Amino acid sequence: MATAAAQHTARTPAHDARGGAPDTDAHQRAFDAAIAADERIEPRDWMPDAYRATLIRQIAQHAHSEIIGMQPEANWITRAPSLRRKAILMAKVQDEAGHGLYLYSAAETLGVSRDELLDKLHSGRQKYSSIFNYPTLTWADVGAIGWLVDGAAITNQVPLCRCSYGPYARAMVRICKEESFHQRQGYELLLALSRGTPEQHAMAQDAVNRWWWPSLMMFGPPDDESEHSAQSMAWKIKRHSNDELRQRFVDICVPQAESLGLTLPDPDLKWNEERGHYDFGPIDWDEFWQVIKGNGPCNEQRMAQRRRAHDEGAWVREAAAAYAAKHTHDKEARRG
Ligand code: 3HC
């Protein structure tokens, strides 16, 4: 069996054994062997163009979701009901910005620039998660987002810690730890409301009613309509299908809703002894595709705010670039 170092050499075009033009067949075989052996693909390894393109698409969409996802919750920072709640919410929204940064950095290792990715987001050529096109109408929505949206994100993202592409998998480890804190704070917030006055309980229930179905849509279309799942799973980018993860999430949420004293808004939700899972009612896929096409309740608002924030941040980017250039110039001058 080849050693890890020898395998790495075969996967790295700069070390082509024949010293000439890269032998794509040999590289493809080495890539396939690495995937089969559950090894990580690293930025300098040879990889098929389609694998690179799929990763850029998914990581970019993920990064965009993190930074657009700051908006619905930031809406409540100034109106948080206590200093403690405000501090927690501010930390959470900052974490999402950090997740965006790790993910844009992971995408950059594939040869795209952050400017290019942001440009694609701003011009509508790359997507962000459907979930962030819904409004946050009450304080309880902050709890529902933490419990359900971050809970769905964790269910989807823990398997991504084992993604075949090294930089993405490593970024996900830290992101998942922080998402767990986000999920817990949402659960704790909803529990406080659920055990509060009848009005607070009703507010928590209303938020759960509105966020439940969009949270199930976060996992993507059903498997038979998921364009990329089969190939992404063969490449071990995705480890489970959209429907598998959605089912896992439903199974986790039902007992948690009971502990919260809240009801999930689905009359068809019931335990299926034979399957060993909860059955649930039909998802409105028409709504999902409408939201993705830009016709959700907040699509226009989210994109307008994102473009405005980008334009207003131009001076910060210019100052950072000028500082970096000066730093490099001074360093070179010192070296003589
Ligand atoms: N919102 C928007 N677009 C979605 C979507 C959703 N919820 N689910 C699927 N899509 C899009 C896909 O991107 C694809 O469009 P494209 O070809 O233009 O990229 C199309 O619908 C078909 O879907 P597929 O199932 O074929 O796509 P994937 O195989 O890529 O699976 C996915 C979709 C499960 C979302 C997968 O990309 C994934 O796991 N991504 C990483 C996780 C991620 O992006 N999460 C964002 C959630 S929010 C978040 O993490 C922030 C946190 O703070 C809550």
Side-chain angles (χ1 to χ4, degrees), residues 126-141:
Q126 278 178 348
K127 297 185 171 77
Y128 60 91
S129 182
S130 50
I131 193 73
F132 299 120
N133 292 304
Y134 291 86
T136 39
L137 303 179
T138 70
W139 170 250
D141 288 24

Side-chain angles (χ1 to χ4, degrees), residues 57-58 61-62 65-66 92 96 99 127-132 149-150 153 156-157 160 168 179 182 217-221 225-229 232 238 242 288-289 292:
R57 178 187 62 79
Q58 176 165 329
Q61 179 180 315
H62 195 166
S65 304
E66 299 284 356
K92 177 180 191 286
E96 308 299 359
H99 297 174
K127 297 185 171 77
Y128 60 91
S129 182
S130 50
I131 193 73
F132 299 120
V149 176
D150 292 284
N156 167 268
Q157 291 169 19
L160 291 175
Y168 190 27
E179 295 293 7
H182 297 170
M217 294 175 198
M218 281 175 72
F219 294 92
E225 289 176 38
S226 167
E227 190 188 332
H228 306 292
S229 277
S232 288
K238 284 167 83 161
N242 299 355
F288 171 77
W289 293 115
I292 285 194

Side-chain angles (χ1 to χ4, degrees), residues 41-326:
I41 306 299
E42 297 297 339
R44 290 183 186 186
D45 291 339
W46 183 91
M47 62 187 85
D49 289 345
Y51 176 83
R52 187 185 298 276
T54 289
L55 281 166
I56 292 173
R57 178 187 62 79
Q58 176 165 329
I59 301 172
Q61 179 180 315
H62 195 166
H64 300 330
S65 304
E66 299 284 356
I67 60 167
I68 298 258
M70 295 166 71
Q71 292 184 35
E73 290 183 283
N75 179 35
W76 281 92
I77 290 176
T78 54
R79 290 171 289 166
S82 69
L83 183 59
R84 173 173 170 265
R85 292 288 179 198
K86 187 188 287 241
I88 293 171
L89 186 54
M90 280 171 60
K92 177 180 191 286
V93 172
Q94 281 181 347
D95 282 353
E96 308 299 359
H99 297 174
L101 293 183
Y102 312 152
L103 289 164
Y104 285 121
S105 299
E108 282 177 318
T109 66
L110 291 156
V112 278
S113 74
R114 196 172 302 197
D115 283 348
E116 204 178 326
L117 298 177
L118 285 171
D119 189 47
K120 286 191 171 154
L121 169 66
H122 297 153
S123 58
R125 283 173 294 152
Q126 278 178 348
K127 297 185 171 77
Y128 60 91
S129 182
S130 50
I131 193 73
F132 299 120
N133 292 304
Y134 291 86
T136 39
L137 303 179
T138 70
W139 170 250
D141 288 24
V142 173
I145 290 181
W147 178 43
L148 295 175
V149 176
D150 292 284
I154 295 168
T155 310
N156 167 268
Q157 291 169 19
V158 166
L160 291 175
C161 299
R162 293 188 295 117
C163 166
S164 57
Y165 187 59
Y168 190 27
R170 289 188 286 274
M172 290 318 303
V173 173
R174 181 155 173 192
I175 290 177
C176 284
K177 284 189 180 150
E178 292 175 356
E179 295 293 7
S180 300
F181 154 75
H182 297 170
Q183 194 269 355
R184 297 295 298 201
Q185 68 82 35
Y187 183 90
E188 193 258 347
L189 194 165
L190 278 184
L191 189 63
L193 290 177
S194 179
R195 291 179 176 170
T197 64
E199 289 79 8
Q200 287 172 325
H201 181 88
M203 186 165 74
Q205 183 60 59
D206 173 64
V208 169
N209 291 349
R210 285 181 289 106
W211 289 94
W212 174 246
W213 292 107
S215 299
L216 296 192
M217 294 175 198
M218 281 175 72
F219 294 92
D223 291 351
D224 54 6
E225 289 176 38
S226 167
E227 190 188 332
H228 306 292
S229 277
Q231 182 59 74
S232 288
M233 286 170 71
W235 278 328
K236 297 184 181 169
I237 294 173
K238 284 167 83 161
R239 295 283 179 160
H240 306 280
S241 77
N242 299 355
D243 285 333
E244 281 166 10
L245 292 173
R246 190 171 7 253
Q247 179 71 63
R248 187 177 292 180
F249 178 65
V250 171
D251 292 345
I252 291 169
C253 285
V254 174
Q256 290 185 354
E258 280 165 17
S259 309
L260 280 169
L262 297 170
T263 313
L264 294 172
D266 180 358
D268 296 329
L269 202 55
K270 64 171 184 302
W271 179 250
N272 183 325
E273 195 62 54
E274 211 174 298
R275 291 199 312 120
H277 292 290
Y278 282 93
D279 289 337
F280 53 97
I283 293 172
D284 184 351
W285 290 114
D286 184 48
E287 175 180 319
F288 171 77
W289 293 115
Q290 282 300 326
V291 171
I292 285 194
K293 280 187 204 140
N295 304 323
C298 299
N299 295 60
E300 274 182 34
Q301 180 188 331
R302 299 287 183 244
M303 285 307 297
Q305 168 66 16
R306 172 90 277 284
R307 290 192 197 102
R308 193 163 52 242
H310 189 71
D311 292 346
E312 286 174 0
W315 70 271
V316 180
R317 293 190 296 279
E318 278 163 25
Y323 177 78
K326 182 178 180 304

